[in-house]
Structures are given as C-alpha cells and as structure tokens.
Amino acid sequence: EAGVTQFPSHSVIEKGQTVTLRCDPISGHDNLYWYRRVMGKEIKFLLHFVKESKQDESGMPNNRFLAERTGGTYSTLKVQPAELEDSGVYFCASSQGGRGLYGYTFGSGTRLTVV
Amino acid sequence: GQQLNQSPQSMFIQEGEDVSMNCTSSSIFNTWLWYKQDPGEGPVLLIALYKAGELTSNGRLTAQFGITRKDSFLNISASIPSDVGIYFCAGPRTNAGGTSYGKLTFGQGTILTVHP
C-alpha cells in the first residue's frame, strides 16, 4: 500500500509570495490531518478533514492559510501571502475511519522556508 | 490547553547505552503515544499506551503510562546508531467528557544522537 505522499518536499519562497502544499493520503482513508512543526517546537495541529468536509480547523494560524480537500481525496494547503513565521515543516497524516487516533500515517513533510 | 513537556531536549550517548526520556502534562491524558521521526521522514508510531500503569514493550523500547495519567516514560535499551532521531510523545485531545476528537497534542521532542 502506498503511503501518504506530500509534495513538494522542500520549498523556498520570498515573503509575500504564495505557496501551495499538496497531500495525497492513503487510498480509502477518510481522515486527513495537517500539522506543522516550527524548528525546535512541538508538532502542532492545524486542521482535520473527514472526507471533503473540514471537521476541525481550530489550529489554522490565520486567514492566510486555506486548506481544501477535493472530492475527499487529495488535499492542498495554500499560504497566501507567506510570512517569515510560516517557515517550518508541514506534515500531512491520514487514518481510516472513526476517530483515527492510533492509525495515523504521516507523510514525509514539506519543509517550507520563507525568506 | 493541553500541553506536553518532554525532557531532556537532547541526548548524546554512546552505542550500547540505555536511554530514558519522559513526557509530562498538567492535564490528564487517557492515551499516550510515542513517535519517532527519522531525518527527512514523518513521525512513525512506536508504542501506544491505553491504561494508567500500563507497561508496553516493542523490541528494545519500553514505555510506561504513569499512574497519575499525567506522565509517560520511554526507555531504549542497548542503543544502536539507527536509534538516532527525534522522539515525540503525544496524546489525543479530549473534551470535558473524555471524548477524543482525533487530533493529537505533541511534545517538543527529544533529539537522540548515538555515537558508534
């Protein structure tokens, strides 16, 4: 079974530019999560999709961040315009059914650097 | 909110040594999870603990769910170079009724370096 795929693996952009991160979850996984880790800090929850619906987006930092999940398959996370403090590693994870607490599979992450 | 504090922040050990790290919280957790992140990869679940006092092993790894439900410990015995990475504790966020929503709270991580 293919794992969770994230693209790109690295992105360096200038402050004020737009970046779109993509996540392809494991096929059949209804739950999709976005997390972010700023260097040296904890991994912080951003949002949770169940199929195409946003179940919880309480962790989204501000309205510069927009997440979508087309048809309940892949998800994108757009940052527009990017700020310096947006730098970090963005992880996507997926799980199958229910609360999905323990069945998380994480992607390798996208390392975003805003300069 | 629920926060997890891990210690130590980093460890430098010789191959063959045992390692201990812990995670504490001011809030009660009903489940404790330990993840490992290899360089360039995402976190991978190592051990899940479901009951206070529970002691669970996975190969050379042993984790314990503290009796107070506010802490957990991870031990690695006879470390090897591939144990290098960042170890995270995590717990599901719950509401007042103890229901989990699926999202996790993570600690800051313990960076482990093993010298051959």
Side-chain angles (χ1 to χ4, degrees), chain A residues 35 37 42 56 58 104 107-108, chain B residues 31 41-42 102-104 107-108:
Chain A
Y35 285 83
R37 185 174 191 238
E42 73 272 26
D56 183 344
S58 61
Y104 271 43
S108 299
Chain B
T31 299
E41 300 294 328
K103 60 186 179 185
L104 298 177
Q108 311 97 310

Side-chain angles (χ1 to χ4, degrees), chain A residues 12-102:
Chain A
V12 180
I13 62 171
E14 293 184 350
K15 176 182 172 182
Q17 287 186 324
T18 297
V19 63
T20 300
L21 313 181
R22 174 170 169 145
C23 170
D24 286 77
I26 291 173
S27 178
H29 280 194
D30 290 339
N31 293 284
L32 187 150
Y33 305 84
W34 284 98
Y35 285 83
R36 176 176 72 175
R37 185 174 191 238
V38 173
M39 183 175 289
K41 304 281 188 172
E42 73 272 26
I43 300 172
K44 293 191 77 171
F45 168 82
L46 296 178
L47 86 159
H48 171 203
F49 282 100
V50 178
K51 296 184 180 178
E52 68 274 10
S53 300
K54 291 177 185 174
Q55 178 74 17
D56 183 344
E57 52 183 332
S58 61
M60 295 288 263
N62 50 60
N63 59 10
R64 293 185 295 103
F65 288 74
L66 175 64
E68 295 179 326
R69 189 178 182 190
T70 305
T73 56
Y74 70 92
S75 175
T76 58
L77 179 63
K78 180 191 290 188
V79 185
Q80 179 182 28
E83 298 288 346
L84 298 179
E85 64 264 25
D86 300 333
S87 297
V89 181
Y90 289 76
F91 291 107
C92 174
S94 71
S95 67
Q96 187 175 28
R99 298 293 187 184
L101 288 174
Y102 318 124

Side-chain angles (χ1 to χ4, degrees), chain B:
Chain B
Q2 296 170 313
Q3 285 188 310
L4 296 177
N5 299 304
Q6 281 187 250
S7 65
Q9 291 186 342
S10 61
M11 302 182 73
F12 298 85
I13 63 171
Q14 292 290 329
E15 182 177 359
E17 290 184 353
D18 296 342
V19 172
S20 291
M21 60 190 79
N22 68 76
C23 190
T24 61
S25 173
S26 58
S27 304
I28 288 175
F29 279 82
N30 294 320
T31 299
W32 286 91
L33 309 169
W34 284 93
Y35 286 84
K36 181 194 177 194
Q37 183 188 1
D38 288 325
E41 300 294 328
V44 174
L45 182 64
L46 298 174
I47 292 179
L49 302 160
Y50 306 106
K51 288 176 57 178
E54 178 181 354
L55 187 71
T56 297
S57 293
N58 178 5
R60 295 179 294 105
L61 277 62
T62 301
Q64 183 160 24
F65 191 142
I67 292 176
T68 65
R69 295 196 286 162
K70 292 184 177 181
D71 57 10
S72 180
F73 305 87
L74 176 69
N75 296 312
I76 305 173
S77 63
S79 60
I80 59 178
S82 62
D83 290 334
V84 164
I86 306 175
Y87 291 80
F88 293 97
C89 62
R93 293 194 184 188
T94 58
N95 62 11
T99 302
S100 299
Y101 291 107
K103 60 186 179 185
L104 298 177
T105 296
F106 283 85
Q108 311 97 310
T110 293
I111 302 171
L112 178 63
T113 303
V114 179
H115 295 287

Side-chain angles (χ1 to χ4, degrees), chain A residues 102-115:
Chain A
Y102 318 124
Y104 271 43
T105 300
F106 279 88
S108 299
T110 294
R111 181 174 295 278
L112 176 64
T113 303
V114 183
V115 298

